[in-house]
Amino acid sequence: MNFAGRMDFLQDKELLNAMELTETEDMISFSAGFPSPETYPVEDIKESFIKVLENEGKEALSYCSTSGYGTLREIIAKRMQDKFGLQYDKSEVIITSGSQQALDMSGMLFIDKGDVILFETPSYLGAVNALKAYEAELVAVPTDHDGIQIDALKEALDRYGSRVKLIYVIPDFQNPTGRSWSPERRKEFMDFIGDYDIAVLEDAAYSELSFEEQLEKPLSYYDKKGQVVYVGTFSKTFCPGLRVAWLCARHEIMEKYLILKNAADLSSSAIAQRQMAYYLQHHDLDAHIKKISKLYQERRDTMMKVIAQEFPKEAHYVVPKGGLFIWMELPENKDARELLKRAYAEKVAFIPGGSFYPSGVKNNEMRLNFSNMSEEEIRKGMRILGRLTREYLLEK
Amino acid sequence: MNFAGRMDFLQDKELLNAMELTETEDMISFSAGFPSPETYPVEDIKESFIKVLENEGKEALSYCSTSGYGTLREIIAKRMQDKFGLQYDKSEVIITSGSQQALDMSGMLFIDKGDVILFETPSYLGAVNALKAYEAELVAVPTDHDGIQIDALKEALDRYGSRVKLIYVIPDFQNPTGRSWSPERRKEFMDFIGDYDIAVLEDAAYSELSFEEQLEKPLSYYDKKGQVVYVGTFSKTFCPGLRVAWLCARHEIMEKYLILKNAADLSSSAIAQRQMAYYLQHHDLDAHIKKISKLYQERRDTMMKVIAQEFPKEAHYVVPKGGLFIWMELPENKDARELLKRAYAEKVAFIPGGSFYPSGVKNNEMRLNFSNMSEEEIRKGMRILGRLTREYLLEK
């Protein structure tokens, strides 16, 4: 059988494997970027489903409009205004089936074969997979502790010129590094990119999972000409099993997304959207987020403690102030894939850093998720990983 | 802002509008291909959601594996064997977010820009939209009362040669015409196409909605070399609001679909899939389908009766033996879009036939859905439409 040319690019199965590994029982897995299932407010969700089916069962089981359930879109728009000062009208919000679908549709909307997409690097593997499918050249732009590097960005724009159609960034508690852009860098970036006619895809999946009081203003907040496409999701703050996320864009762009959403799956699940709206109207999502952020902060602390005790000092890392991940760097001559092999043998898993490079792969890094395992599992798994790392680093 | 080239092809908003019109209150709409909401087994679905959340809440609210919930895939595989004699292993079944997503992914998998897709014509607008996005040339192959015309198919294959990568067909109670392929034509088609290395996308959305005892064997049943990709859905037999459908393909092809599903949205909703599995294990979907088929048959009969009484004899149609649609043909110099304008003014809607042509548009036809309105609404709306048609046909 003949397949489309794009299939030649889509060979990286790391994320796929990470997802399938979730079904392996006795693995201590620091791989996947999952929230912790014991935090799900199962009872409240059950109540919401019951109420939705009792009050509006027929509507909840029918097709939804392509843009999504109006009430939910209104609540989301208001919530983003309250939290981040973002001014989106309900008509500038569309519901997507997870934020992954929003990334996929963005490739569909902006990318022709041979176009260039700039990636803050390292970057989210799922975005790399989704956007690779549109046969773009993915170009890495390095990020430092304050965010994407503006001089490197300028260099890439000079080099690739009008071929650049999209810039993909995760300014808050970035996947995989856990870093956040400073407010100054956000402003600098938006000032700079405002001179170009290029769409910016802002992935805000982790933005609300902060361990500090103050949330940062998104890039979209500084956007004067409507070039930012903002993507949010309930998958990390609530639960991923409903597949309810959203995309915000100004009208000219939103019109096009609507056409693509319709082509992609007609509409997202009506009952999942109405359940979410009911929950938001009758329960306190902010209190829930506060609770899980506290839990994740404790787990981060536990992981940090074991790292400090058990890992060799040649393993570098930064303490993340939110999100789900720690990023660890081994000496340059070391390969995290080799370490992973040894870890698998002792039933511990993580994702080697090479998977997060859209181009110019480095293999001496690794991503460690701290949200999804219990403190006991974190202690046990990280001790094993620490010992294996020590042993590996001692080898020539 | 610069958009991808494909956006120039995606201007047809007919389906989008039909979906949005569902939210207009006082319209008698024969437009959309929706099942009738009062048939949804709301109580049983509620019970299923409750049980799933009580018994397996954490799993149901987490990410699902990319291929879909194993138990559901097993049940679907067994069901297809029992009903249609199809032999698919669980690993050859993937869950998709509505069958629309299966169509979209099929474009992604098989189509490069400039390839040719052959469409049994007229055809499902959603498939046209989904596949157009991959910048294929869509070529219409005419269908007669027995199915796609083999000599016209051969002609198209001779003409376009190796550019043809996919053939899209709906052998059962086709959308929009309501026609079904004869068993002989199915065999003839599969014998013929078996000599080509071209994928066949079999859309079985309406296959179980039969008004007769016997279900026809799908094309996939006659497939000797694994070239058929079979797409089924619960949207028409159960309810569309869950967005649970499935795609079956042999291993070599399935591997690729898995990569694409992962890129598209990671996985379909875990809770929707588990709810569906619970329902299938604890309730009788076949009895439900029998009940709704009887209801739709009665509505078809009502619509037929009004057509016989109120429509001019120049309006041609065939009585469908299943599915959701009647296809009506006006004299060739007449335009269904003009008729629709007048119908809208009297709060009656349908979809003009031109929307169902991937190429070589004809405008003297119309699609009438009979599943979604009550008998009273059907009588009222069809009387109005009959009068408007009589008046319109009297004009020069």
Side-chain angles (χ1 to χ4, degrees), chain B residues 366-391:
Chain B
M366 52 209 270
R367 188 188 80 172
L368 298 164
N369 165 273
F370 54 77
S371 63
N372 197 29
M373 292 283 125
S374 69
E375 298 218 6
E376 197 189 317
E377 287 166 318
I378 290 174
R379 271 190 292 268
K380 185 177 166 196
M382 289 302 290
R383 274 188 203 130
I384 292 172
L385 202 55
R387 171 174 51 76
L388 292 172
T389 306
R390 283 199 312 273
E391 289 168 9

PDB file of all heavy atoms in Angstrom, chain B residues 366-391:
ATOM      1  N   MET B 366     -31.829  17.512  -3.961  1.00  0.00           N
ATOM      2  CA  MET B 366     -31.887  17.914  -2.552  1.00  0.00           C
ATOM      3  C   MET B 366     -31.905  16.682  -1.656  1.00  0.00           C
ATOM      4  O   MET B 366     -32.412  15.626  -2.029  1.00  0.00           O
ATOM      5  CB  MET B 366     -33.122  18.777  -2.299  1.00  0.00           C
ATOM      6  CG  MET B 366     -34.423  18.172  -2.789  1.00  0.00           C
ATOM      7  SD  MET B 366     -35.637  19.421  -3.239  1.00  0.00           S
ATOM      8  CE  MET B 366     -36.449  19.622  -1.660  1.00  0.00           C
ATOM      9  N   ARG B 367     -31.333  16.852  -0.469  1.00  0.00           N
ATOM     10  CA  ARG B 367     -31.339  15.758   0.508  1.00  0.00           C
ATOM     11  C   ARG B 367     -32.322  16.086   1.621  1.00  0.00           C
ATOM     12  O   ARG B 367     -32.292  17.180   2.187  1.00  0.00           O
ATOM     13  CB  ARG B 367     -29.946  15.574   1.102  1.00  0.00           C
ATOM     14  CG  ARG B 367     -29.846  14.322   1.984  1.00  0.00           C
ATOM     15  CD  ARG B 367     -28.539  14.246   2.729  1.00  0.00           C
ATOM     16  NE  ARG B 367     -28.546  15.107   3.914  1.00  0.00           N
ATOM     17  CZ  ARG B 367     -27.583  15.126   4.844  1.00  0.00           C
ATOM     18  NH1 ARG B 367     -26.519  14.349   4.699  1.00  0.00           N
ATOM     19  NH2 ARG B 367     -27.668  15.939   5.886  1.00  0.00           N
ATOM     20  N   LEU B 368     -33.185  15.111   1.919  1.00  0.00           N
ATOM     21  CA  LEU B 368     -34.190  15.291   2.968  1.00  0.00           C
ATOM     22  C   LEU B 368     -33.970  14.252   4.058  1.00  0.00           C
ATOM     23  O   LEU B 368     -34.065  13.045   3.794  1.00  0.00           O
ATOM     24  CB  LEU B 368     -35.588  15.130   2.367  1.00  0.00           C
ATOM     25  CG  LEU B 368     -35.950  16.144   1.282  1.00  0.00           C
ATOM     26  CD1 LEU B 368     -37.162  15.666   0.485  1.00  0.00           C
ATOM     27  CD2 LEU B 368     -36.234  17.510   1.913  1.00  0.00           C
ATOM     28  N   ASN B 369     -33.692  14.713   5.250  1.00  0.00           N
ATOM     29  CA  ASN B 369     -33.536  13.792   6.381  1.00  0.00           C
ATOM     30  C   ASN B 369     -34.903  13.506   6.999  1.00  0.00           C
ATOM     31  O   ASN B 369     -35.706  14.410   7.199  1.00  0.00           O
ATOM     32  CB  ASN B 369     -32.608  14.417   7.432  1.00  0.00           C
ATOM     33  CG  ASN B 369     -32.707  13.694   8.761  1.00  0.00           C
ATOM     34  OD1 ASN B 369     -33.569  14.011   9.581  1.00  0.00           O
ATOM     35  ND2 ASN B 369     -31.870  12.711   8.971  1.00  0.00           N
ATOM     36  N   PHE B 370     -35.163  12.220   7.313  1.00  0.00           N
ATOM     37  CA  PHE B 370     -36.471  11.899   7.898  1.00  0.00           C
ATOM     38  C   PHE B 370     -36.387  11.392   9.335  1.00  0.00           C
ATOM     39  O   PHE B 370     -37.402  11.044   9.935  1.00  0.00           O
ATOM     40  CB  PHE B 370     -37.235  10.885   7.027  1.00  0.00           C
ATOM     41  CG  PHE B 370     -36.479   9.625   6.708  1.00  0.00           C
ATOM     42  CD1 PHE B 370     -36.338   8.610   7.648  1.00  0.00           C
ATOM     43  CD2 PHE B 370     -35.899   9.446   5.448  1.00  0.00           C
ATOM     44  CE1 PHE B 370     -35.644   7.444   7.350  1.00  0.00           C
ATOM     45  CE2 PHE B 370     -35.196   8.277   5.142  1.00  0.00           C
ATOM     46  CZ  PHE B 370     -35.072   7.280   6.093  1.00  0.00           C
ATOM     47  N   SER B 371     -35.177  11.347   9.918  1.00  0.00           N
ATOM     48  CA  SER B 371     -35.056  10.716  11.248  1.00  0.00           C
ATOM     49  C   SER B 371     -35.255  11.682  12.406  1.00  0.00           C
ATOM     50  O   SER B 371     -35.566  11.273  13.515  1.00  0.00           O
ATOM     51  CB  SER B 371     -33.660  10.085  11.379  1.00  0.00           C
ATOM     52  OG  SER B 371     -32.658  11.092  11.305  1.00  0.00           O
ATOM     53  N   ASN B 372     -35.083  12.950  12.132  1.00  0.00           N
ATOM     54  CA  ASN B 372     -34.825  13.882  13.225  1.00  0.00           C
ATOM     55  C   ASN B 372     -36.021  14.740  13.612  1.00  0.00           C
ATOM     56  O   ASN B 372     -35.992  15.454  14.594  1.00  0.00           O
ATOM     57  CB  ASN B 372     -33.631  14.761  12.822  1.00  0.00           C
ATOM     58  CG  ASN B 372     -33.005  15.465  13.985  1.00  0.00           C
ATOM     59  OD1 ASN B 372     -33.045  14.970  15.107  1.00  0.00           O
ATOM     60  ND2 ASN B 372     -32.465  16.639  13.732  1.00  0.00           N
ATOM     61  N   MET B 373     -37.094  14.673  12.814  1.00  0.00           N
ATOM     62  CA  MET B 373     -38.282  15.478  13.107  1.00  0.00           C
ATOM     63  C   MET B 373     -39.450  14.539  13.452  1.00  0.00           C
ATOM     64  O   MET B 373     -39.504  13.398  12.989  1.00  0.00           O
ATOM     65  CB  MET B 373     -38.662  16.332  11.884  1.00  0.00           C
ATOM     66  CG  MET B 373     -37.660  17.442  11.547  1.00  0.00           C
ATOM     67  SD  MET B 373     -37.798  18.891  12.654  1.00  0.00           S
ATOM     68  CE  MET B 373     -36.108  19.008  13.264  1.00  0.00           C
ATOM     69  N   SER B 374     -40.381  15.038  14.245  1.00  0.00           N
ATOM     70  CA  SER B 374     -41.558  14.233  14.606  1.00  0.00           C
ATOM     71  C   SER B 374     -42.454  14.068  13.382  1.00  0.00           C
ATOM     72  O   SER B 374     -42.349  14.803  12.405  1.00  0.00           O
ATOM     73  CB  SER B 374     -42.335  14.936  15.714  1.00  0.00           C
ATOM     74  OG  SER B 374     -42.929  16.114  15.190  1.00  0.00           O
ATOM     75  N   GLU B 375     -43.365  13.106  13.453  1.00  0.00           N
ATOM     76  CA  GLU B 375     -44.282  12.891  12.315  1.00  0.00           C
ATOM     77  C   GLU B 375     -45.066  14.161  12.011  1.00  0.00           C
ATOM     78  O   GLU B 375     -45.300  14.507  10.850  1.00  0.00           O
ATOM     79  CB  GLU B 375     -45.243  11.739  12.628  1.00  0.00           C
ATOM     80  CG  GLU B 375     -44.498  10.435  12.839  1.00  0.00           C
ATOM     81  CD  GLU B 375     -45.236   9.235  12.254  1.00  0.00           C
ATOM     82  OE1 GLU B 375     -46.277   9.401  11.586  1.00  0.00           O
ATOM     83  OE2 GLU B 375     -44.742   8.119  12.468  1.00  0.00           O
ATOM     84  N   GLU B 376     -45.459  14.844  13.049  1.00  0.00           N
ATOM     85  CA  GLU B 376     -46.226  16.072  12.852  1.00  0.00           C
ATOM     86  C   GLU B 376     -45.373  17.125  12.118  1.00  0.00           C
ATOM     87  O   GLU B 376     -45.844  17.781  11.184  1.00  0.00           O
ATOM     88  CB  GLU B 376     -46.660  16.597  14.227  1.00  0.00           C
ATOM     89  CG  GLU B 376     -47.770  17.593  14.160  1.00  0.00           C
ATOM     90  CD  GLU B 376     -47.991  18.227  15.536  1.00  0.00           C
ATOM     91  OE1 GLU B 376     -47.979  17.497  16.541  1.00  0.00           O
ATOM     92  OE2 GLU B 376     -48.148  19.464  15.570  1.00  0.00           O
ATOM     93  N   GLU B 377     -44.148  17.267  12.567  1.00  0.00           N
ATOM     94  CA  GLU B 377     -43.257  18.227  11.897  1.00  0.00           C
ATOM     95  C   GLU B 377     -42.986  17.811  10.456  1.00  0.00           C
ATOM     96  O   GLU B 377     -42.902  18.649   9.557  1.00  0.00           O
ATOM     97  CB  GLU B 377     -41.938  18.339  12.672  1.00  0.00           C
ATOM     98  CG  GLU B 377     -42.061  19.102  13.993  1.00  0.00           C
ATOM     99  CD  GLU B 377     -40.837  18.919  14.897  1.00  0.00           C
ATOM    100  OE1 GLU B 377     -40.312  17.791  15.008  1.00  0.00           O
ATOM    101  OE2 GLU B 377     -40.422  19.923  15.503  1.00  0.00           O
ATOM    102  N   ILE B 378     -42.837  16.504  10.265  1.00  0.00           N
ATOM    103  CA  ILE B 378     -42.600  16.022   8.895  1.00  0.00           C
ATOM    104  C   ILE B 378     -43.785  16.379   8.009  1.00  0.00           C
ATOM    105  O   ILE B 378     -43.621  16.920   6.910  1.00  0.00           O
ATOM    106  CB  ILE B 378     -42.355  14.489   8.886  1.00  0.00           C
ATOM    107  CG1 ILE B 378     -40.991  14.169   9.540  1.00  0.00           C
ATOM    108  CG2 ILE B 378     -42.392  13.941   7.453  1.00  0.00           C
ATOM    109  CD1 ILE B 378     -40.715  12.687   9.713  1.00  0.00           C
ATOM    110  N   ARG B 379     -44.992  16.100   8.506  1.00  0.00           N
ATOM    111  CA  ARG B 379     -46.191  16.418   7.709  1.00  0.00           C
ATOM    112  C   ARG B 379     -46.263  17.908   7.406  1.00  0.00           C
ATOM    113  O   ARG B 379     -46.435  18.329   6.271  1.00  0.00           O
ATOM    114  CB  ARG B 379     -47.461  15.966   8.442  1.00  0.00           C
ATOM    115  CG  ARG B 379     -47.847  14.521   8.113  1.00  0.00           C
ATOM    116  CD  ARG B 379     -49.231  14.159   8.656  1.00  0.00           C
ATOM    117  NE  ARG B 379     -49.229  14.110  10.109  1.00  0.00           N
ATOM    118  CZ  ARG B 379     -48.993  12.996  10.818  1.00  0.00           C
ATOM    119  NH1 ARG B 379     -48.761  11.846  10.210  1.00  0.00           N
ATOM    120  NH2 ARG B 379     -48.982  13.022  12.130  1.00  0.00           N
ATOM    121  N   LYS B 380     -46.075  18.724   8.441  1.00  0.00           N
ATOM    122  CA  LYS B 380     -46.172  20.182   8.267  1.00  0.00           C
ATOM    123  C   LYS B 380     -45.081  20.701   7.317  1.00  0.00           C
ATOM    124  O   LYS B 380     -45.356  21.412   6.351  1.00  0.00           O
ATOM    125  CB  LYS B 380     -46.062  20.858   9.635  1.00  0.00           C
ATOM    126  CG  LYS B 380     -46.281  22.359   9.575  1.00  0.00           C
ATOM    127  CD  LYS B 380     -46.239  23.008  10.952  1.00  0.00           C
ATOM    128  CE  LYS B 380     -46.124  24.526  10.796  1.00  0.00           C
ATOM    129  NZ  LYS B 380     -45.705  25.190  12.022  1.00  0.00           N
ATOM    130  N   GLY B 381     -43.862  20.323   7.605  1.00  0.00           N
ATOM    131  CA  GLY B 381     -42.744  20.822   6.818  1.00  0.00           C
ATOM    132  C   GLY B 381     -42.777  20.352   5.378  1.00  0.00           C
ATOM    133  O   GLY B 381     -42.503  21.120   4.445  1.00  0.00           O
ATOM    134  N   MET B 382     -43.140  19.093   5.175  1.00  0.00           N
ATOM    135  CA  MET B 382     -43.146  18.549   3.814  1.00  0.00           C
ATOM    136  C   MET B 382     -44.312  19.095   2.995  1.00  0.00           C
ATOM    137  O   MET B 382     -44.207  19.220   1.779  1.00  0.00           O
ATOM    138  CB  MET B 382     -43.174  17.014   3.852  1.00  0.00           C
ATOM    139  CG  MET B 382     -41.868  16.392   4.332  1.00  0.00           C
ATOM    140  SD  MET B 382     -40.415  16.852   3.344  1.00  0.00           S
ATOM    141  CE  MET B 382     -40.761  15.965   1.824  1.00  0.00           C
ATOM    142  N   ARG B 383     -45.404  19.426   3.676  1.00  0.00           N
ATOM    143  CA  ARG B 383     -46.505  20.083   2.947  1.00  0.00           C
ATOM    144  C   ARG B 383     -46.063  21.444   2.433  1.00  0.00           C
ATOM    145  O   ARG B 383     -46.321  21.815   1.293  1.00  0.00           O
ATOM    146  CB  ARG B 383     -47.726  20.238   3.855  1.00  0.00           C
ATOM    147  CG  ARG B 383     -48.585  19.004   3.836  1.00  0.00           C
ATOM    148  CD  ARG B 383     -49.901  19.205   4.581  1.00  0.00           C
ATOM    149  NE  ARG B 383     -50.408  17.893   4.981  1.00  0.00           N
ATOM    150  CZ  ARG B 383     -50.809  17.565   6.196  1.00  0.00           C
ATOM    151  NH1 ARG B 383     -50.816  18.471   7.168  1.00  0.00           N
ATOM    152  NH2 ARG B 383     -51.228  16.345   6.451  1.00  0.00           N
ATOM    153  N   ILE B 384     -45.393  22.186   3.306  1.00  0.00           N
ATOM    154  CA  ILE B 384     -44.867  23.500   2.887  1.00  0.00           C
ATOM    155  C   ILE B 384     -43.901  23.326   1.721  1.00  0.00           C
ATOM    156  O   ILE B 384     -43.999  23.997   0.687  1.00  0.00           O
ATOM    157  CB  ILE B 384     -44.146  24.191   4.080  1.00  0.00           C
ATOM    158  CG1 ILE B 384     -45.172  24.566   5.160  1.00  0.00           C
ATOM    159  CG2 ILE B 384     -43.368  25.420   3.606  1.00  0.00           C
ATOM    160  CD1 ILE B 384     -44.559  25.074   6.460  1.00  0.00           C
ATOM    161  N   LEU B 385     -42.991  22.367   1.874  1.00  0.00           N
ATOM    162  CA  LEU B 385     -41.981  22.163   0.844  1.00  0.00           C
ATOM    163  C   LEU B 385     -42.616  21.677  -0.465  1.00  0.00           C
ATOM    164  O   LEU B 385     -42.190  22.070  -1.557  1.00  0.00           O
ATOM    165  CB  LEU B 385     -40.952  21.133   1.352  1.00  0.00           C
ATOM    166  CG  LEU B 385     -39.590  21.158   0.687  1.00  0.00           C
ATOM    167  CD1 LEU B 385     -38.953  22.536   0.760  1.00  0.00           C
ATOM    168  CD2 LEU B 385     -38.669  20.130   1.373  1.00  0.00           C
ATOM    169  N   GLY B 386     -43.661  20.844  -0.337  1.00  0.00           N
ATOM    170  CA  GLY B 386     -44.367  20.369  -1.521  1.00  0.00           C
ATOM    171  C   GLY B 386     -45.011  21.531  -2.275  1.00  0.00           C
ATOM    172  O   GLY B 386     -44.883  21.644  -3.501  1.00  0.00           O
ATOM    173  N   ARG B 387     -45.674  22.403  -1.515  1.00  0.00           N
ATOM    174  CA  ARG B 387     -46.319  23.565  -2.147  1.00  0.00           C
ATOM    175  C   ARG B 387     -45.278  24.454  -2.822  1.00  0.00           C
ATOM    176  O   ARG B 387     -45.428  24.859  -3.974  1.00  0.00           O
ATOM    177  CB  ARG B 387     -47.098  24.359  -1.087  1.00  0.00           C
ATOM    178  CG  ARG B 387     -47.626  25.700  -1.582  1.00  0.00           C
ATOM    179  CD  ARG B 387     -48.525  26.412  -0.576  1.00  0.00           C
ATOM    180  NE  ARG B 387     -47.988  26.546   0.764  1.00  0.00           N
ATOM    181  CZ  ARG B 387     -47.037  27.426   1.128  1.00  0.00           C
ATOM    182  NH1 ARG B 387     -46.509  28.257   0.245  1.00  0.00           N
ATOM    183  NH2 ARG B 387     -46.622  27.480   2.385  1.00  0.00           N
ATOM    184  N   LEU B 388     -44.182  24.732  -2.109  1.00  0.00           N
ATOM    185  CA  LEU B 388     -43.128  25.584  -2.678  1.00  0.00           C
ATOM    186  C   LEU B 388     -42.535  24.952  -3.943  1.00  0.00           C
ATOM    187  O   LEU B 388     -42.227  25.644  -4.914  1.00  0.00           O
ATOM    188  CB  LEU B 388     -42.031  25.828  -1.635  1.00  0.00           C
ATOM    189  CG  LEU B 388     -42.428  26.675  -0.426  1.00  0.00           C
ATOM    190  CD1 LEU B 388     -41.306  26.681   0.619  1.00  0.00           C
ATOM    191  CD2 LEU B 388     -42.770  28.102  -0.851  1.00  0.00           C
ATOM    192  N   THR B 389     -42.383  23.633  -3.909  1.00  0.00           N
ATOM    193  CA  THR B 389     -41.829  22.939  -5.083  1.00  0.00           C
ATOM    194  C   THR B 389     -42.796  23.026  -6.263  1.00  0.00           C
ATOM    195  O   THR B 389     -42.388  23.300  -7.400  1.00  0.00           O
ATOM    196  CB  THR B 389     -41.536  21.462  -4.735  1.00  0.00           C
ATOM    197  OG1 THR B 389     -40.704  21.423  -3.569  1.00  0.00           O
ATOM    198  CG2 THR B 389     -40.811  20.756  -5.867  1.00  0.00           C
ATOM    199  N   ARG B 390     -44.077  22.793  -5.987  1.00  0.00           N
ATOM    200  CA  ARG B 390     -45.087  22.913  -7.064  1.00  0.00           C
ATOM    201  C   ARG B 390     -45.036  24.294  -7.694  1.00  0.00           C
ATOM    202  O   ARG B 390     -44.964  24.442  -8.914  1.00  0.00           O
ATOM    203  CB  ARG B 390     -46.498  22.701  -6.496  1.00  0.00           C
ATOM    204  CG  ARG B 390     -46.865  21.265  -6.209  1.00  0.00           C
ATOM    205  CD  ARG B 390     -48.387  21.074  -6.109  1.00  0.00           C
ATOM    206  NE  ARG B 390     -49.060  22.043  -5.263  1.00  0.00           N
ATOM    207  CZ  ARG B 390     -49.233  21.911  -3.922  1.00  0.00           C
ATOM    208  NH1 ARG B 390     -48.761  20.845  -3.292  1.00  0.00           N
ATOM    209  NH2 ARG B 390     -49.876  22.828  -3.235  1.00  0.00           N
ATOM    210  N   GLU B 391     -45.026  25.313  -6.816  1.00  0.00           N
ATOM    211  CA  GLU B 391     -45.010  26.698  -7.313  1.00  0.00           C
ATOM    212  C   GLU B 391     -43.747  26.965  -8.143  1.00  0.00           C
ATOM    213  O   GLU B 391     -43.804  27.543  -9.222  1.00  0.00           O
ATOM    214  CB  GLU B 391     -45.057  27.679  -6.134  1.00  0.00           C
ATOM    215  CG  GLU B 391     -46.410  27.714  -5.423  1.00  0.00           C
ATOM    216  CD  GLU B 391     -46.368  28.456  -4.079  1.00  0.00           C
ATOM    217  OE1 GLU B 391     -45.325  29.091  -3.789  1.00  0.00           O
ATOM    218  OE2 GLU B 391     -47.363  28.384  -3.349  1.00  0.00           O
TER     219      GLU B 391
END
